[in-house]
Amino acid sequence: MILSDKSIAEIREKMVRYPRRKSAILPALTVAYNQLGHLDEEIYKEISQVIDVPTGEIAEAATFYTMFPKAPTGRYLIQVCHNISCALLGADGLVEYLESKLGIKKGETTPDKIFTLITVECLGSCASAPMMQIGDRYYEFLTKEKVDAILDDLRKKAEDGKADSV
Amino acid sequence: MEKRILFKYIDDPEQVRIDKYISRGGYKAWEKALKQMKPGDVIEEVKKSGVRGRGGAGFPAGLKWSFVPKDSPKPRYLVCNADESEPGTCKDRQLMECDPHGVIEGMAIASYAIGSHLCFIYIRGEFGGPIRSMNKAVKEAYDKKMLGKNIFGSGYDLDLIVHTGGGAYICGEETALLNSLEGERGMSRIRPPFPAIEGLYACPTVVNNVETLACIPHVINNGADWYTAMGTEKSKGTKIFSLSGHVKNPGNYELEMGTPLSYLINDLGGGVIDGHKLKAIIPGGSSTPFLLPEQLETPLDYESIAAAGSMLGSGGVIVIHEKTCIVWVIERLIHFYKHESCGKCTPCREGTGWLEQMISRIEHGQGKPGDLEKIDTICNNILGRTICPLGDAAVMPIQSALKLFREEWQYHIDHGKCLVETECPFR
């Protein structure tokens, strides 16, 4: 199994609370994503065994939701909001700044596999724009200085092997 | 002046703790409802208060609850819609993160009113902070026996599940949310049947926004008359406005309904940044038509904003200054709606794609004569022809921008470039 015993236990614990097992699909996908950082066919099969819902139904749901990458990413997935409130306060420039700092284009991963950079739609952080999400954390009111400090800090963490503390 | 009812303790980090919440009168309304009121009394009180849906539609909450059939043998469900994702809106996030027990108490009272013993809060999956805060608060509420079995010795049982989404704007639409909660793709359902009759698992269901539910304990504690003393004739109480874009002091502000827009933008928001002039305002989230600077004195309530040609919506007020190309703004928005269309209805699925291609072409200097007329036609063929409001939401800002700023569009087509060069730097 790719899913850890802890993840499986967590999925089961969530599943029994719902009147119907199928409702546990999204919670199960979330648990798997939190453990693995992405989803794929193998993971759908394993979830299928745990919650006893056909693999196809799990894949059907999973492929609808954009929050879960369907292939491995860098250790830190940088998601920059480029929707209107952030765009008005420089989201495009933020993306360009990150591209130049990381030496990659939007949609790419750094060669050391530490950072992947993508843009996303509104993250509900409009009054603290511009912003980005890394892991489950929001970084808000971003400036060039703040971005420098965040990237330095994460790179150091990754090199020290503390990536899981995002 | 800000009128802080829901936001009274929002800045105090201690407010997330149940002991602090209770010491400030928290869960008193829940106790009162269970011990002193019948479910029908709760519905009547909320009806009388005039609380309307704060997610965007503005439908009266008490009336929505009253549609749940009294004699249905099926279980009933209360679902709190916390899939906040209308661009420009970030109020529910703060309510959940900073005053989670206020949301839980509102959900509990609403559940009791409709006879639900299992309720859900569907939080968008990206909201790490609010999810953690709600999970912690729910656990505290169970430990203090505010949730669970035989609450306050009343014999009433209530369970609450925190359910997280997967990143899909459409799941903020209530029938799509219900599909998502059932483990399906988040696509909207045709109505009727309405959720109050056949909602979650085909059982009677009420879906209410976070802010709507957070109003409920205050109404029960203080009475409908206290609530209706605030606001305007038809828009009662307070509303939280998310102020974003080109303003000095962006943020969430709770105001009495009917407060002028200028007060929010200039007095609280500090006016437009960089000494620029105001160009336009989106008053109710990115789906609502633009207002112009000369409409700045419009009162912020459902009726006044509608009379001004827009909608109060979710209360997401986006301020745009003069150094902003309107075609660029619309390109950004139509990209979003195309990305978020669930694909169920042809006009929305195909139409938003066509609009995105054409508008992007115009913005990048490749506009052709006849484009604007074609955009108009496509918009008219989406509007009102889809199951859920996403199609309308995509079209309304485009039609508004075409009407109010037509010369900018025409300039783009005639000259292949912006009439107004966008200056939105990253600093």
Side-chain angles (χ1 to χ4, degrees):
Chain A
M1 291 289 263
I2 305 166
L3 287 172
S4 66
D5 290 346
K6 185 167 165 274
S7 292
I8 292 170
E10 204 181 326
I11 292 170
R12 290 213 169 104
E13 191 187 316
K14 287 179 189 285
M15 179 182 76
V16 295
R17 297 197 69 202
Y18 290 93
R20 295 191 190 172
R21 271 203 307 276
K22 225 181 141 173
S23 283
I25 290 180
L26 254 180
L29 293 170
T30 306
V31 170
Y33 167 65
N34 288 342
Q35 183 200 323
L36 302 159
H38 75 282
L39 300 177
D40 60 29
E41 287 290 332
E42 284 307 307
I43 298 161
Y44 305 152
K45 280 184 204 158
E46 291 195 5
I47 291 174
S48 164
Q49 288 171 26
V50 178
I51 67 173
D52 195 19
V53 170
T55 308
E57 291 183 16
I58 291 162
E60 185 185 15
T63 51
F64 185 82
Y65 300 98
T66 52
M67 203 182 90
F68 312 114
K70 307 302 187 296
T73 65
R75 268 190 170 175
Y76 298 107
L77 178 62
I78 303 177
Q79 308 187 71
V80 182
C81 171
H82 71 163
N83 209 300
I84 191 62
S85 295
C86 285
L88 291 171
L89 291 174
D92 293 354
L94 167 59
V95 172
E96 283 166 22
Y97 188 69
L98 284 163
E99 285 178 336
S100 73
K101 285 278 297 181
L102 298 171
I104 54 172
K105 288 281 165 202
K106 185 173 90 176
E108 294 177 349
T109 299
T110 53
D112 58 10
K113 302 267 192 290
I114 294 180
F115 296 106
T116 298
L117 175 66
I118 60 170
T119 52
V120 293
E121 297 305 339
C122 184
L123 289 171
S125 179
C126 316
S128 23
M131 65 81 65
M132 61 186 180
Q133 178 171 21
I134 305 175
D136 72 351
R137 206 177 137 188
Y138 280 19
Y139 296 86
E140 303 174 306
F141 296 112
L142 290 176
T143 59
K144 288 177 182 169
E145 290 73 34
K146 279 193 191 177
V147 169
D148 291 348
I150 293 161
L151 292 184
D152 287 348
D153 182 48
L154 291 179
R155 196 178 288 281
K156 192 163 181 305
K157 272 192 187 141
E159 283 162 6
D160 294 350
K162 291 180 193 160
D164 294 335
S165 59
V166 174
Chain B
M1 240 175 61
E2 284 181 76
K3 182 96 180 174
R4 292 189 163 205
I5 307 292
L6 276 59
F7 263 10
K8 191 166 181 189
Y9 302 108
I10 206 78
D11 297 327
D12 179 1
E14 291 289 293
Q15 180 69 4
V16 299
R17 289 180 35 233
I18 196 165
D19 291 341
K20 187 53 105 178
Y21 183 76
I22 289 173
S23 77
R24 287 167 166 167
Y27 288 113
K28 273 263 176 346
W30 181 212
E31 185 174 11
K32 179 179 174 185
L34 275 181
K35 287 185 171 167
Q36 299 171 27
M37 299 170 84
K38 294 195 178 76
D41 302 336
V42 177
I43 294 179
E44 273 316 302
E45 199 66 21
V46 172
K47 261 190 185 171
K48 260 173 51 192
S49 76
V51 172
R52 291 164 67 170
R54 301 292 194 233
F59 193 82
L63 191 59
K64 200 173 196 182
W65 298 0
S66 71
F67 294 153
V68 172
K70 307 271 176 301
D71 51 357
S72 171
K74 295 176 175 176
R76 299 105 192 268
Y77 300 109
L78 182 282
V79 180
C80 176
N81 183 347
D83 192 53
E84 180 170 65
S85 31
E86 171 80 4
T89 317
C90 49
K91 63 190 175 64
D92 296 340
R93 175 177 162 226
Q94 195 174 2
L95 282 170
M96 288 187 281
E97 192 155 1
C98 305
D99 196 0
H101 288 289
V103 180
I104 295 171
E105 188 173 10
M107 288 175 66
I109 296 166
S111 296
Y112 173 69
I114 63 163
S116 167
H117 296 285
L118 175 59
C119 63
F120 300 84
I121 180 164
Y122 184 107
I123 310 179
R124 64 176 301 178
E126 296 92 336
F127 272 176
I131 292 167
R132 273 191 295 275
S133 187
M134 286 303 304
N135 273 326
K136 202 161 164 237
V138 167
K139 188 175 178 304
E140 281 186 326
Y142 270 104
D143 289 347
K144 282 269 179 199
K145 306 202 182 318
M146 298 296 159
L147 294 171
K149 301 273 178 225
N150 191 23
I151 302 163
F152 291 117
S154 64
Y156 197 81
D157 304 338
L158 179 64
D159 281 304
L160 191 159
I161 294 180
V162 176
H163 187 92
T164 61
Y169 170 69
I170 185 71
C171 291
E173 191 280 323
E174 63 177 13
T175 62
L177 185 153
L178 295 175
N179 271 342
S180 179
L181 192 44
E182 290 183 9
E184 306 287 342
R185 293 166 81 86
M187 295 168 122
S188 49
R189 299 175 180 172
I190 235 165
R191 283 163 293 193
F194 286 89
I197 312 298
E198 279 186 31
L200 187 65
Y201 311 127
C203 296
T205 304
V206 166
V207 184
N208 284 139
N209 167 260
V210 173
E211 185 187 353
T212 316
L213 289 167
C215 292
I216 304 303
H218 300 281
V219 169
I220 298 302
N221 269 331
N222 303 303
D225 292 341
W226 165 83
Y227 195 78
T228 56
M230 296 180 288
T232 65
E233 193 195 335
K234 288 185 178 163
S235 300
K236 299 299 184 192
T238 63
K239 168 93 190 78
I240 301 166
F241 294 93
S242 302
L243 182 63
S244 72
H246 291 147
V247 284
K248 287 186 189 134
N249 312 316
N252 287 320
Y253 298 97
E254 184 175 5
L255 303 175
E256 193 166 343
M257 287 280 197
T259 305
L261 185 52
S262 64
Y263 185 79
L264 175 66
I265 292 176
N266 292 329
D267 295 69
L268 296 171
V272 177
I273 56 169
D274 295 339
H276 293 315
K277 286 202 192 90
L278 181 64
K279 172 172 184 159
I281 307 128
I282 301 179
S286 69
S287 310
T288 60
F290 296 88
L291 295 179
L292 296 171
E294 54 265 35
Q295 293 173 298
L296 211 49
E297 293 312 311
T298 308
L300 286 163
D301 61 73
Y302 295 104
E303 292 68 34
S304 303
I305 298 285
S310 189
M311 294 158 76
L312 191 73
S314 60
V317 177
I318 306 169
V319 176
I320 299 169
H321 69 39
E322 57 184 335
K323 302 285 185 190
T324 315
C325 168
I326 207 76
V327 182
W328 174 77
V329 169
I330 294 296
E331 185 200 23
R332 198 51 56 106
L333 292 182
I334 190 59
H335 173 78
F336 165 71
Y337 289 107
K338 187 236 166 190
H339 183 261
E340 301 299 333
S341 173
C342 80
K344 184 165 185 167
C345 308
T346 309
C348 175
R349 181 185 65 240
E350 302 299 324
T352 54
W354 295 339
L355 288 170
E356 190 204 21
Q357 284 174 28
M358 293 184 70
I359 291 167
S360 179
R361 192 157 51 67
I362 295 170
E363 167 63 11
H364 294 97
Q366 307 293 316
K368 291 184 285 205
D371 274 355
L372 301 185
E373 292 71 19
K374 204 174 282 172
I375 290 173
D376 260 335
T377 308
I378 297 171
C379 286
N380 286 328
N381 279 303
I382 297 175
L383 202 64
R385 292 169 205 261
T386 54
I387 290 174
C388 90
L390 195 146
D392 296 353
V395 162
M396 284 188 293
I398 300 176
Q399 289 187 318
S400 166
L402 276 173
K403 191 172 137 214
L404 300 174
F405 302 100
R406 195 144 189 121
E407 72 287 356
E408 276 189 57
W409 292 84
Q410 197 58 53
Y411 190 92
H412 256 283
I413 289 174
D414 295 344
H415 298 86
K417 59 179 183 179
C418 303
L419 176 63
V420 181
E421 204 63 51
T422 299
E423 287 178 30
C424 297
F426 175 59
R427 295 166 213 259

